Amino acid sequence: MTEKSLPKLDWKVVFNRAAPPGSRGWGRVRAAQLIEMGRAMEIAAWGQTFNALLIAYMMLGRATSVHIALWLFSLFLLMHAISRTRARLRRRAIHSIPRQTLNRAAYHSVMFGFVWAFPARYFFEFASHSQQLGICVITATMMAGAAFIFAPVAAAAAPYVLIMGIAVTRMLMTTDSLLIAAIGPIYTAAMLAMVVINGRAFMQRKCLDLMLEERQETVRLLLREFESSDADWLWQTNAKLNLQNVSARFARAIGRSPEELEGTAFLDLLKPVPRHDQSLRRALATAESAIARREPITELVIPVQAGDAVRNIEVSARPTFNKSGRFIGYRGVGSDVTQARLAADRIAHMARHDALTGLPNRLQLLENLSDALETSKARGEECAVLLIDLDRFKAINDSLGHIAGDHLLQQVSRCLEAVVSDEMTAGRLGGDEFAIVVPEIESRAELEQLCLALVGALQGPFLYREQRLFIGASIGVAIGPRDGETVEDLIRSADLALYRAKDGPGNDISFFEPSLHARAEERRRIELALHGALDAGEFTLNYQPMVEATSGRIVSFEALLRWNNPELGQISPGKFIPIAEETGMLGRIGEWVLRAACREAASWPSEVAIAVNVSPRQLRDPGFIVTLVSALTQANLEPHRLELEVTETIFLELSGATQRALQQLQSLGVRLAMDDFGTGYSSLGYLRKADFDTLKVDRSFVHAMSTSDPESTAIIRAVVALAGSLGMKTVAEGVATEEQLELVRTLGCDLVQGYIISRPVSASAAKSMLDENRNRAAA
């Protein structure tokens, strides 16, 4: 028993004023106190009888016989009453008592104290000096006895000792010596301290005894439950490690009879176990080593052939030794964990496999890639990881629903399994992203052939409810350890290659190149710098004029965003605009551009307009129209002087919200221009969905036209004719030479924009150009 195991009992608990906080069943401790008190009273009765007779004998002839007789009779009646109470308690089993019952025992002790204080109070005056000394010694001895005999109930012992102590002190005070008189209270205090110490010790010991009994009872109940259960069994061996006292449940679990197993060597059960599983092989080796050293066996799982089925038996055991320390065998417990093992295997499979497709998931793929990478580095070979992203999957998933998308992913999974070899691992990372781990490659050409086979297989068609679905795949490839020493680096390299492959038209394959890391790092730095660029005032607007092709008069300016970062310098819009759109920062930047352009245009002549580029994502924003109206109002700019330029990509995902936004813009009087017309997804049907005011011929046709490309010339002529028939104006973008300027004039373009007119200029330079334009017109 350690100090920490003892319950903490304060004085209230010791004197039966309260129960310990959080305790349950404290009545059992009180019952034990009462029982122990009863035993102590039986012993004390003999001592009190002897002391009473001795005092009566001493006082014969000194005190009156009537007083002596009355005192002895009172003592007899009190002892008789306590004896009857003791007998009554002995006849019934006492398990728990309330606090009041124990307090009554304390009242008895108070009565005893007053009875025994009588000799010190009345007999002491009639006694001789020697008799007085005898009475004092007897009283002090009874105090000491009570401090030990009545200790189980401190609430009973303390009043008894206190009353007797007062009596002793009174007797000592007759000596007229303060030193001798002081012995009384000091002795009384010492006895009271002994009462508290002994009472607390008894209660602590009894509390621990009861706790131990409860635990033993719990163990007995568990053992009875254990022995009546078919789930587990006990087993043991002798010193030679032969099984003995084999239970029927043990034998039944492994498909043999108890007689057949009796005397069988335990190690013989391990010999037929198949050891192809590396983890099982290690576990068996560890168990055999522990048995040889006579150490415990813990949770050893043994697959045992029981008839036609294989059962998994889990055994644990500890070595036993006799009193002389000699090994006498093992004793342990066993259980059939077959079902638990199957459930654990299912859980482990679910943890490492995708629920929808059944393919290995990200966790399993990364583990296999890690093993392949380590093996490749150890052997001086190479492995590879292929990241696959399905093309056009989102369009199918959105149009036909998630059930169709799930069905398609399952077909893709079967397709991947059919292409890859058994040594490879094909898995799903999530969404429409898959990966293939190639543990060993011979050459890059081998990987290229695998990628081509995958691209060809994933082109489809795939069937869903009699519909033929066509998708495709973009693949990024990284070779380890050349493209990455760790799994994280290799995956990142493959991801960069995939990112480049997705920039193409689809069904593209890209191998990692070191330059991709530099591009990724540049992109990361641009993205970080973008977060604070707007608040830091790093953005500015330049303005490029659009002039009438015939007269050269400035009709409008296009607002072009420029970014100059203190660390990165001047950054091309072609680099940071896509990043801003992907990261969701384009909304704030676009709002700033719109407001700044409107404010600047408001200071120009009323006939000069401003053109601002907006993205499809901005148009889909429910708050875009409110922002536009706010920008026009604050700048005091008439709506018809604002022209919004959109590209043909807006029609790829033309939602109801986008169509409503275009209609609201037209109703406000804001002009619309189709930018880069002819390069993307041009269709006459698109032009009917929105009433555009301007078509901007892409600069690629203008440049090609200057090299005598008849096709580009025919396209521009057709666009001009189409715009004229629909009441639209045409703008030739990117006109850089006199030859191009003359050709677009000849073809009938209304407006011209390009370096031949002016490069993009600052706001102040734009105003200067307008002043010159006004002066020229006036002249």
Side-chain angles (χ1 to χ4, degrees), residues 587-601:
R588 282 192 65 208
I589 296 173
E591 180 179 349
W592 179 86
V593 170
L594 185 62
R595 292 182 182 276
C598 288
R599 283 196 302 270
E600 185 63 29

Side-chain angles (χ1 to χ4, degrees), residues 140-151:
T141 302
M142 292 183 67
M143 287 175 63
F148 290 94
I149 295 176
F150 295 164

Side-chain angles (χ1 to χ4, degrees), residues 184-236:
I186 294 174
Y187 181 72
T188 302
M191 291 301 101
L192 288 173
M194 291 301 298
V195 167
V196 174
I197 293 172
N198 292 336
R200 180 182 285 115
F202 175 83
M203 296 172 76
Q204 289 176 329
R205 185 174 66 253
K206 185 53 63 176
C207 183
L208 290 176
D209 290 343
L210 293 174
M211 290 171 60
L212 182 60
E213 288 179 10
E214 289 180 356
R215 291 178 183 176
Q216 289 175 340
E217 181 63 25
T218 301
V219 171
R220 284 193 293 269
L221 290 173
L222 290 175
L223 283 175
R224 284 197 295 269
E225 179 68 21
F226 180 81
E227 291 173 354
S228 62
S229 171
D230 284 337
D232 305 298
W233 59 85
L234 301 175
W235 64 278
Q236 65 182 58

Side-chain angles (χ1 to χ4, degrees), residues 121-266:
R121 176 65 181 84
Y122 294 101
F123 293 165
F124 190 80
E125 297 177 356
F126 303 103
S128 62
H129 287 296
S130 59
Q131 289 172 337
Q132 288 177 344
L133 180 61
I135 292 173
C136 187
V137 170
I138 290 173
T139 305
T141 302
M142 292 183 67
M143 287 175 63
F148 290 94
I149 295 176
F150 295 164
V153 185
Y160 180 87
V161 169
L162 182 60
I163 295 171
M164 299 285 280
I166 294 173
V168 169
T169 301
R170 185 179 181 281
M171 288 188 288
L172 293 176
M173 289 176 64
T174 60
T175 62
D176 296 330
S177 171
L178 290 177
L179 182 61
I180 294 176
I183 294 175
I186 294 174
Y187 181 72
T188 302
M191 291 301 101
L192 288 173
M194 291 301 298
V195 167
V196 174
I197 293 172
N198 292 336
R200 180 182 285 115
F202 175 83
M203 296 172 76
Q204 289 176 329
R205 185 174 66 253
K206 185 53 63 176
C207 183
L208 290 176
D209 290 343
L210 293 174
M211 290 171 60
L212 182 60
E213 288 179 10
E214 289 180 356
R215 291 178 183 176
Q216 289 175 340
E217 181 63 25
T218 301
V219 171
R220 284 193 293 269
L221 290 173
L222 290 175
L223 283 175
R224 284 197 295 269
E225 179 68 21
F226 180 81
E227 291 173 354
S228 62
S229 171
D230 284 337
D232 305 298
W233 59 85
L234 301 175
W235 64 278
Q236 65 182 58
T237 71
N238 56 21
K240 296 181 180 179
L241 300 179
N242 295 328
L243 295 172
Q244 60 182 24
N245 300 326
V246 178
S247 67
R249 287 192 297 278
F250 183 15
R252 185 166 58 250
I254 62 176
R256 299 167 72 176
S257 65
E259 295 77 14
E260 186 180 0
L261 288 175
E262 190 72 27
T264 301
F266 176 73

